[in-house]
Amino acid sequence: MDSLTQLGLNNPELFKELSKLATPTGVADYTALALLAGAGATYLSRGIIWDQPDPYAHLAYERPQLKNGGALGSTNKETRNIAQKLEEAGKNIVVFWGSQSGTAEGFAQRLAREISLRHGQETMTADLSDYDSETISQIPESKLAIFIVSTYGEGDPSDNTAEFWDWINKAQNVSLSNLRYAAFGLGNSNYKFYNRVVDVVVEGLEKFGAKALMPVGKANDAEGATEEDFMAWKDDLFTVFKEKLGFEECEVKYMPTLVVQEDESLEPIDLHHGEPDNRRDSKAAAQCTPVRTLNIANSRELFNASDRNCLHMDLDLSSQPEFTYKTGDHLAIWPGNPTSEVERLFEVLGPSVRPHVPLGIKSLDPATKVKIPTPTSAAAVFRYYLEICAPVNRDNVLGLAQFAPTPEAKAYLLQLGQDKDYYANFINRTHLNIGRLLQLACPGKAWSDLPLSYLVETLPHIQPRYYSISSSSVISPRKPSITAIVSSSPLPENPDELIHGVTSNYLLAISQQSRSQPHPHGITYHLNGPSDALQDGKVFAHIRRSRFKLPITSKNPLIMVAAGTGLAPFRAFISERRQLQQIGKEIGQMVLFFGCRNPEEDFIYRDELEELQNALGDRLRVVTAFSRKQGTPRQYVQDRIVEFGQDIVKLLDESANFYVCGRAGMAREVEKAVGETMKQVKGWSDGQVNDWSKAIKKKNKWQEDVWG
């Protein structure tokens, strides 16, 4: 049976009757049909006759900062071929940098600038992640490549070096026979794999046939010698330039690579007032969230000491629904500089630098990127974009001499910058940041000839400070916490003068403000932030993914070793294991070794740990070490590891994961203690211990989150 039959519409009489009903018979019917037809035509003509797109609608959403060559406004697609870039920009030398904290990047920029000024060679810097690694093989023999790379953690490359690192380790059938190069590494001998990254890079370059101009240089931050090591290597490099390459040397005079100009036509709405720069071209940016404002939900003091502070802070992700974290990740805080140092700098520069007048910053060299968001103001530059509290290196001391207001000030700076021992002795007595140096060199006199562009080019840019998240994402998914010790260190030869850590004291000021109390050292900050974006206790922050993670299997035993605020991630680990136990999961044995000075003053999270011990029973053992407990000998976590050696070996044999968090020097001593324990308990040789150590790390069963 067909569908018409089913409906009864194959009956001619019925169909005729229905047709009569459907035929309009009056004015009302014709009016209704006209209205329906008009509505249909109107709908179909949408976007053609009416409701056309406004060709200027985008202007309502356009940022003025992106216009007229603004830093964020370039639409030109940059080449990722470094050989092509060198040719297009007319450069003879490229200084590649791989940097985690910004130090290697700063060295690269200083070196490139000095090569250009001293030897007249067209030089550019290059972020290793901005160019395809294989194109290095296309750099002709007529040009030079210099590599300045840092090592951090367990011999790891910086985030922006990761792609190049993979290429140099895995590439095959590559020829670098045309490449002439020099290399300098930044490292810390407190780490087991001191300067491993530059060693591996040089080994790879040599394997592919590259020709070294000179032996590799290395800086050792453990001895506080990074600056002097770099300057000594730089002097050797310039000797090679003169004696082997025949480069002529000329008097160094400042030639700006940036133009910094006032532009009073701009309105406040046009400016960047200090918001962190979210431009991240590197693939490494995938490991970080964007920088956003986060509320500080609450903060509390963890120390019971009158002269030291340690903060616990809970942050609230509610305003950023796309933000998530996992237990073991890091949270980065973007600080502002203290008001006293900002005002000091404006005072010594004099009326030639006006704090709130709009500034445009443009590059004079197409190969040089403007790293500060522009347009902006001098107030924003000094408060949020430059590290004006950092010590001034000898290179910059010498560079500032050419702008001195008086002959006496020039002579003072030349003596300080040229004499290595005199400089070292001086900074042991006086904290030498840019404002203080200018004041000391020429008291009461304005530095009106010092270009703002020089400061923008030579001072390091402010960097975020990373903190291990001390909460579990399982228990507190929207409120990550951080644990921050407040740094206020006395000068070696002048204990009455303190060097205050920028970010930790910035956080302390926020914490004190929430209690309507002043900072204990009287330091003030503009806590409302740029354009009052941080009112009511907010900070600029982002989250960085970490590899410092709990094992997937909750039954895996854990050995955790921490000193001081290194306890932070283990507070999260243990809390998460407790949560798993509460929902019926079987959890493995845990041992926490924790060290601090004195149990009455700086044993952080003591009550929480005791509660967790009571709740977890035999699943958790806490072993403490106190270095300044009255009436007892000094003890450190590595001493307690030796003491509990049999238990540690037993847990390691049961496939325990081993974690260390704290200073690098402590981590190195812990690894030594474990190695000695393995030799004593198992009768192993040094070679067997080394083989075991490599194997356990390769399996990711030994993890470190260390610094310093």
Side-chain angles (χ1 to χ4, degrees):
M1 186 181 294
D2 61 27
S3 57
L4 286 176
T5 302
Q6 286 178 323
L7 293 171
L9 296 182
N10 60 344
N11 186 324
E13 293 301 322
L14 177 62
F15 190 79
K16 186 176 180 180
E17 291 301 316
L18 288 172
S19 298
K20 288 179 182 179
L21 291 173
T23 302
T25 58
V27 174
D29 289 346
Y30 283 106
T31 302
L33 283 173
L35 289 172
L36 286 171
T42 301
Y43 176 79
L44 292 172
S45 65
R46 181 185 179 188
I48 301 171
I49 297 174
W50 68 283
D51 195 27
Q52 296 183 46
D54 179 1
Y56 303 105
H58 67 282
L59 295 178
Y61 305 96
E62 187 174 89
R63 292 178 62 185
Q65 298 95 319
L66 305 187
K67 296 181 180 180
N68 304 321
L72 303 182
S74 175
T75 56
N76 295 329
K77 187 175 176 65
E78 291 283 341
T79 178
R80 288 188 58 83
N81 185 314
I82 185 58
Q84 181 182 333
K85 181 67 176 180
L86 287 168
E87 199 62 37
E88 290 175 353
K91 303 297 182 183
N92 302 323
I93 300 173
V94 57
V95 184
F96 290 107
W97 57 268
S99 186
Q100 195 70 17
S101 64
T103 305
E105 179 183 2
F107 282 170
Q109 291 168 350
R110 279 167 57 186
L111 181 62
R113 187 165 51 247
E114 192 166 350
I115 291 172
S116 298
L117 297 175
R118 187 180 296 276
H119 295 286
Q121 297 294 317
E122 292 292 335
T123 308
M124 64 173 282
T125 60
D127 180 333
L128 278 165
S129 65
D130 282 348
Y131 297 93
D132 295 327
S133 302
E134 60 268 19
T135 64
I136 291 173
S137 64
Q138 299 173 29
I139 297 175
E141 194 170 2
S142 60
K143 301 184 187 295
L144 303 177
I146 299 171
F147 296 85
I148 300 181
V149 292
S150 63
T151 299
Y152 84 103
E154 270 300 304
D156 298 320
S158 62
D159 290 344
N160 77 305
T161 310
E163 192 174 336
F164 174 71
W165 178 260
D166 288 342
W167 177 78
I168 203 78
N169 281 295
K170 297 175 183 177
Q172 295 180 351
N173 302 320
V174 173
S175 174
L176 298 178
S177 57
N178 288 329
L179 185 70
R180 296 182 299 164
Y181 79 95
F184 184 78
L186 286 76
N188 186 316
S189 60
N190 280 330
Y191 293 88
K192 182 176 180 180
F193 296 102
Y194 165 62
N195 258 312
R196 175 175 177 243
V197 172
V198 76
D199 286 339
V200 170
V201 166
V202 167
E203 182 182 339
L205 294 173
E206 296 286 329
K207 178 179 69 177
F208 297 139
K211 303 175 186 71
L213 296 173
M214 59 186 289
V216 62
K218 295 180 181 179
N220 187 1
D221 197 46
E223 299 173 359
T226 297
E227 278 287 345
E228 293 299 335
D229 289 339
F230 172 70
M231 291 177 69
W233 173 81
K234 176 167 61 73
D235 289 343
D236 291 342
L237 177 66
F238 291 164
T239 300
V240 169
F241 283 176
K242 287 186 294 183
E243 296 180 357
K244 289 187 178 180
L245 303 182
F247 290 176
E248 293 184 4
E249 188 170 7
C250 55
E251 183 183 355
V252 176
K253 291 183 179 179
Y254 173 61
M255 295 288 290
T257 59
L258 300 173
V259 173
V260 182
Q261 288 182 326
E262 292 185 348
D263 184 353
E264 296 189 65
S265 68
L266 295 170
E267 298 294 329
I269 195 173
D270 300 329
L271 307 184
H272 293 270
H273 295 281
E275 303 84 354
D277 189 358
N278 260 315
R279 292 171 296 169
R280 296 179 190 171
D281 299 326
S282 167
K283 293 181 181 178
Q287 299 302 311
C288 298
T289 66
V291 183
R292 295 287 186 262
T293 57
L294 297 182
N295 286 293
I296 296 175
N298 65 74
S299 67
R300 68 179 192 269
E301 176 62 52
L302 296 177
F303 280 178
N304 294 316
S306 59
D307 59 341
R308 298 169 67 219
N309 297 90
C310 185
L311 300 173
H312 173 95
M313 284 188 159
D314 294 309
L315 292 101
D316 190 348
L317 303 183
S318 300
S319 62
Q320 306 297 337
E322 77 278 17
F323 269 34
T324 60
Y325 78 97
K326 296 294 183 185
T327 306
D329 283 345
H330 299 131
L331 191 139
I333 300 291
W334 292 77
N337 286 311
T339 301
S340 58
E341 294 302 333
V342 175
E343 292 177 348
R344 186 198 306 271
L345 193 48
F346 277 118
E347 182 182 341
V348 296
L349 292 175
S352 61
V353 179
R354 299 188 288 176
H356 303 292
V357 175
L359 294 175
I361 306 175
K362 292 184 179 180
S363 174
L364 294 171
D365 183 344
T368 300
K369 294 181 179 180
V370 177
K371 294 297 184 76
I372 290 177
T374 182
T376 183
S377 67
V381 168
F382 292 162
R383 191 177 295 281
Y384 297 109
Y385 293 133
L386 294 182
E387 291 272 15
I388 65 170
C389 296
V392 183
N393 60 67
R394 283 200 299 123
D395 272 348
N396 279 2
V397 172
L398 290 170
L400 287 164
Q402 62 191 301
F403 309 113
T406 65
E408 294 78 15
K410 183 174 182 178
Y412 177 89
L413 292 175
L414 289 175
Q415 180 188 11
L416 184 60
Q418 289 169 348
D419 191 326
K420 174 182 173 181
D421 294 332
Y422 180 69
Y423 172 85
N425 179 265
F426 190 86
I427 61 172
N428 278 336
R429 292 181 284 109
T430 305
H431 180 47
L432 200 65
N433 63 33
I434 183 67
R436 294 183 182 204
L437 174 64
L438 299 179
Q439 271 186 337
L440 286 168
C442 196
K445 192 88 171 175
W447 287 69
S448 54
D449 292 333
L450 176 57
L452 188 53
S453 60
Y454 181 84
L455 298 179
V456 172
E457 288 180 43
T458 58
L459 293 181
H461 293 179
I462 209 159
Q463 299 290 329
R465 274 59 165 184
Y466 288 92
Y467 296 91
S468 300
I469 294 177
S470 53
S471 57
S472 162
S473 58
V474 170
I475 300 170
S476 183
R478 304 307 298 161
K479 285 192 177 178
S481 64
I482 59 173
T483 310
I485 191 165
V486 179
S487 172
S488 294
S489 308
L491 285 163
E493 295 185 15
N494 186 5
D496 293 334
E497 185 172 356
L498 299 176
I499 302 173
H500 301 288
V502 173
T503 308
S504 60
N505 281 279
Y506 172 73
L507 292 174
L508 179 58
I510 296 172
S511 179
Q512 293 292 96
Q513 183 190 53
S514 69
R515 301 179 182 85
S516 301
Q517 295 177 357
H519 188 286
H521 297 289
I523 305 172
T524 60
Y525 296 82
H526 184 57
L527 297 181
N528 282 352
S531 304
D532 291 334
L534 304 180
Q535 264 187 320
D536 303 321
K538 296 185 182 71
V539 290
F540 288 120
H542 73 265
I543 293 169
R544 182 176 71 183
R545 309 302 172 209
S546 166
R547 291 175 292 180
F548 196 75
K549 300 296 183 187
L550 280 165
I552 295 172
T553 306
S554 63
K555 292 188 289 186
N556 257 58
L558 307 180
I559 302 168
M560 298 163 285
V561 186
T565 55
L567 180 58
F570 301 139
R571 173 183 184 261
F573 283 12
I574 297 168
S575 299
E576 188 159 312
R577 279 284 176 96
R578 167 59 179 155
Q579 184 75 5
L580 292 173
Q581 185 193 53
Q582 285 183 308
I583 62 173
K585 292 275 189 179
E586 184 181 349
I587 62 171
Q589 174 74 38
M590 293 176 285
V591 179
L592 169 67
F593 292 89
F594 172 67
C596 63
R597 294 184 183 182
N598 188 310
E600 305 306 321
E601 292 185 357
D602 58 357
F603 191 159
I604 60 176
Y605 302 120
R606 184 175 185 173
D607 293 342
E608 287 185 30
L609 283 175
E610 288 176 355
E611 288 177 13
L612 286 166
Q613 269 188 293
N614 291 333
L616 289 162
D618 64 355
R619 296 290 85 190
L620 174 64
R621 180 194 296 181
V622 178
V623 180
T624 54
F626 304 114
S627 60
R628 300 187 189 180
K629 184 179 179 182
Q630 193 171 3
T632 62
R634 288 177 180 257
Q635 271 194 327
Y636 300 96
V637 285
Q638 57 265 31
D639 302 322
R640 303 308 307 270
I641 283 171
V642 172
E643 186 180 335
F644 285 82
Q646 294 279 356
D647 296 332
I648 287 176
V649 172
K650 182 175 181 294
L651 287 172
L652 288 170
D653 285 343
E654 294 172 1
S655 194
N657 281 39
F658 199 105
Y659 298 91
V660 187
C661 187
R663 292 200 167 273
M666 177 273 290
R668 184 185 60 182
E669 293 302 317
V670 165
E671 186 167 359
K672 282 183 186 176
V674 173
E676 289 301 315
T677 298
M678 298 299 278
K679 285 196 287 186
Q680 290 173 12
V681 175
K682 290 181 171 285
W684 283 356
S685 65
D686 288 336
Q688 287 173 304
V689 170
N690 285 335
D691 290 343
W692 169 81
S693 178
K694 289 177 184 176
I696 194 173
K697 289 175 181 175
K698 191 173 182 180
K699 294 175 184 175
N700 216 30
K701 301 284 286 181
W702 183 295
Q703 297 181 38
E704 295 183 358
D705 185 357
V706 297
W707 57 86

